[in-house]
Amino acid sequence: MGVILLVLLLALVLGGLGFAAHVLWWIAVIVFVAWLIGFGIRSGESSGGRRRWYGRW
């Protein structure tokens, strides 16, 4: 009985980690797309001046 509970617990933990990883991938994709859009907007704005898109570092 203990082994069955341990296997079920392990399956729940791994399933939860898989779901969390899936959600993190979607968040990463959304952030990447937002970064690309911001990169495109910033590079289009700076026509003429030599201002860089990432600001002054």
Side-chain angles (χ1 to χ4, degrees), residues 3-20:
V3 173
I4 293 173
L5 287 176
L6 185 64
V7 169
L8 285 175
L9 182 64
L10 185 63
L12 283 174
V13 168
L14 291 178
L17 287 176
F19 178 74

Side-chain angles (χ1 to χ4, degrees), residues 17-31:
L17 287 176
F19 178 74
H22 185 76
V23 170
L24 288 175
W25 272 110
W26 278 110
I27 292 171
V29 167
I30 291 168
V31 169

